[in-house]
Every structure is written in C-alpha cells, then in structure tokens.
Amino acid sequence: DYEDARDHGPATIGAVTAISKTLATLATYPLIRAKVLQQTSDLKKEMSPIAIWREIIKEEGTVGLYRGVLAMSYKTVLWNALMMMVKTSVGPKRTITPPASPMGSCRVPAIPTMGRDAFLDPLAAEKLDEILEY
C-alpha cells in the first residue's frame, strides 16, 4: 500500500538501498573491470570488453572478473545506504498522489488538421490543387 510505503524508517530504507546497490554492483562490475583494464593497460587498449573478459577468465578464472569488487562495494554500498538514510530522516515526507480525475470531467480538445484548423475557401483549394500539379 502506498500509505504504508511512506512510513518506512531510515534503517529499512538504508538496508534496501544497500541490497539493491550490492546487486547492481555485482551485475555491472565485470564491465567496470574491463573498462579499467582497457584504460590502464597499453596492451588492452584496442581490445573489446568481451576479449578482455575472455583473457581474464583464461588467466584468473571466473573469480577474476570480480577481483576488487569488495573495495568498490565498501565505497559505493555504504555511501549510498548512508545517503538514503540521511535523506529519509532529514527530508520531508513524500506527498500523497492525488486521486485520478473522474471519467468525463475533462474534455479532450479537438486535434487540428495538419497544424491548423481546416478552412472552406474554394479559391485557396484551387490554388493548392494548382501547386500540387507541379
């Protein structure tokens, strides 16, 4: 329920943020590692991320894709969890979304034809037909 979701405390928000950030870091870390290796190694500058992953797996195994993830997790997970906890405890409570408008209370305006209202001018119609013949 939306009302109940507004009442979560800072600890709950911090825990959920930490879990979600951990999952996001685990999902994206191999790409981050490949990018860092690509930028710091002269031999890997021209290699694609997939080629770098293959080389890492060949030399270090699958665990090599996640070498250094713990250090990055301490930084990112703790920072994001603390920021969300502070935001929740210091910031104002979220406002309730207003209910939807009842059906039939608002009318949809007429859509103009090709950017302007249609007009009934026989002379203009003839001129347009003449232009279109060319």
Side-chain angles (χ1 to χ4, degrees):
D1 184 65
Y2 183 75
E3 277 294 317
D4 294 338
R6 290 171 8 118
D7 294 330
H8 291 310
T12 305
I13 298 294
V16 170
T17 301
I19 291 168
S20 62
K21 186 60 180 175
T22 300
L23 293 174
T25 301
L26 288 175
T28 59
Y29 191 76
L31 187 60
I32 294 168
R33 175 124 196 261
K35 182 185 87 167
V36 168
L37 289 174
Q38 202 174 32
Q39 291 174 345
T40 58
S41 172
D42 290 332
L43 299 173
K44 293 181 171 99
K45 278 198 190 300
E46 302 300 322
M47 293 174 70
S48 71
I50 294 173
I52 293 172
W53 290 336
R54 284 187 189 137
E55 188 174 315
I56 291 170
I57 291 171
K58 186 172 69 176
E59 293 175 5
E60 305 173 31
T62 310
V63 177
L65 292 173
Y66 291 95
R67 192 171 63 168
V69 74
L70 208 55
M72 184 177 171
S73 292
Y74 281 132
K75 182 187 98 175
T76 59
V77 172
L78 288 175
W79 176 254
N80 284 302
L82 287 172
M83 288 299 292
M84 288 303 292
M85 288 171 67
V86 168
K87 178 183 178 271
T88 303
S89 60
V90 173
K93 202 172 195 181
R94 290 182 61 189
T95 58
I96 298 173
T97 305
S101 301
M103 293 300 291
S105 66
C106 62
R107 293 196 168 274
V108 178
I111 299 173
T113 308
M114 296 298 292
R116 63 177 124 174
D117 293 329
F119 56 94
L120 298 174
D121 184 5
L123 184 60
E126 286 176 26
K127 291 210 183 255
L128 284 173
D129 287 337
E130 183 182 329
I131 291 171
L132 291 173
E133 284 178 8
Y134 289 109

